[in-house]
Amino acid sequence: IAGITQAPTSQILAAGRRMTLRCTQDMRHNAMYWYRQDLGLGLRLIHYSNTAGTTGKGEVPDGYSVSRANTDDFPLTLASAVPSQTSVYFCASSDSAGGPGELFFGEGSRLTVL
Amino acid sequence: GQNIDQPTEMTATEGAIVQINCTYQTSGFNGLFWYQQHAGEAPTFLSYNVLDGLEEKGRFSSFLSRSKGYSYLLLKELQMKDSASYLCAVRDGDYKLSFGAGTTVTVRA
């Protein structure tokens, strides 16, 4: 039982480099999300996708892009990383068909930009 | 965006009860969630309220008052494993979920 898989688990990156964080779910959930978590600020929504083929901006989208080519995959790309993007990134999914539609989270990707 | 407030830290003794308050202001409301997050791990779902009142789930209960923009999470019979961060989250009219900064609960023996 995988649920949501994120890769890499941890990465150190030079400023200015391009980076893609991968996220795959096997629960066939329609909605997927990317959050970043910083000390004292909690989880902040970067981008989301309510269904395959659609994406939307969250609270802190600048410097990030996403795509949703299919139901399972939702990669997050940093086109040119900056030190302020040092954070723990969580991918999550939810299924609004029945139940409260709670989020299921991946284990997180710890990114350090130097 | 949302404005979600909860205390930063709370400390309690094993076997005791702790109540974590959460106040919020939101544009549209489609439910309030509580998540638990142990250090270095992903958040996990604890409870959901969409109507006013108390929802009980074993040792954990959650209360909601929509008119007051207020919720609390009640942890009873505290155990050492309950030491964690507890996140209050509100789903808005667009079905996006916003989180408070979290309350770190430390359980002492």
Side-chain angles (χ1 to χ4, degrees):
Chain A
I1 299 175
I4 296 186
T5 303
Q6 291 185 232
T9 304
S10 180
Q11 181 76 45
I12 298 174
L13 188 66
R17 296 300 294 267
R18 181 184 179 88
M19 177 73 193
T20 295
L21 303 180
R22 300 184 298 279
C23 176
T24 300
Q25 55 117 347
D26 62 2
M27 297 176 283
R28 308 302 293 174
H29 286 173
N30 53 337
M32 296 187 75
Y33 311 84
W34 274 105
Y35 287 86
R36 60 177 289 174
Q37 188 172 37
D38 302 289
L39 197 63
L41 296 176
L43 287 156
R44 292 181 292 167
L45 182 64
I46 304 170
H47 284 288
Y48 65 95
S49 169
N50 287 330
T51 188
T54 69
T55 62
K57 294 181 180 180
E59 182 185 354
V60 288
D62 294 343
Y64 306 94
S65 63
V66 292
S67 61
R68 187 87 184 276
N70 56 61
T71 298
D72 299 342
D73 300 301
F74 191 45
L76 176 74
T77 298
L78 289 67
S80 179
V82 295
S84 62
Q85 292 177 311
T86 293
S87 187
V88 180
Y89 292 86
F90 285 100
C91 180
S93 70
S94 69
D95 185 359
S96 57
E102 72 270 29
L103 298 189
F104 293 82
F105 286 87
E107 290 304 307
S109 295
R110 182 175 295 275
L111 183 66
T112 303
V113 183
L114 301 176
Chain B
Q2 318 304 324
N3 188 12
I4 302 169
D5 291 315
Q6 51 182 129
T8 304
E9 295 180 331
M10 302 184 75
T11 301
T13 305
E14 197 172 16
I17 299 173
V18 69
Q19 177 175 316
I20 306 170
N21 296 323
C22 172
T23 58
Y24 64 90
Q25 293 174 309
T26 180
S27 53
F29 179 82
N30 279 295
L32 187 142
F33 296 77
W34 285 95
Y35 285 79
Q36 181 189 59
Q37 186 178 24
H38 285 102
E41 297 182 8
T44 55
F45 170 71
L46 280 181
S47 69
Y48 168 72
N49 296 72
V50 67
L51 300 176
D52 291 351
L54 189 68
E55 293 285 338
E56 296 188 83
K57 232 185 198 184
R59 294 188 299 113
F60 294 178
S61 303
S62 57
F63 172 83
L64 175 66
S65 169
R66 289 172 296 170
S67 63
K68 295 181 179 178
Y70 169 70
S71 173
Y72 68 73
L73 179 69
L74 196 68
L75 286 62
K76 295 176 279 190
E77 301 169 18
L78 278 173
Q79 302 175 9
M80 299 301 288
K81 67 179 182 179
D82 297 329
S83 291
S85 184
Y86 292 85
L87 314 178
C88 175
V90 176
R91 188 161 61 192
D92 65 16
D94 294 325
Y95 277 79
K96 294 196 298 293
L97 196 63
S98 295
F99 287 81
T103 299
T104 299
V105 172
T106 302
V107 181
R108 298 178 304 191

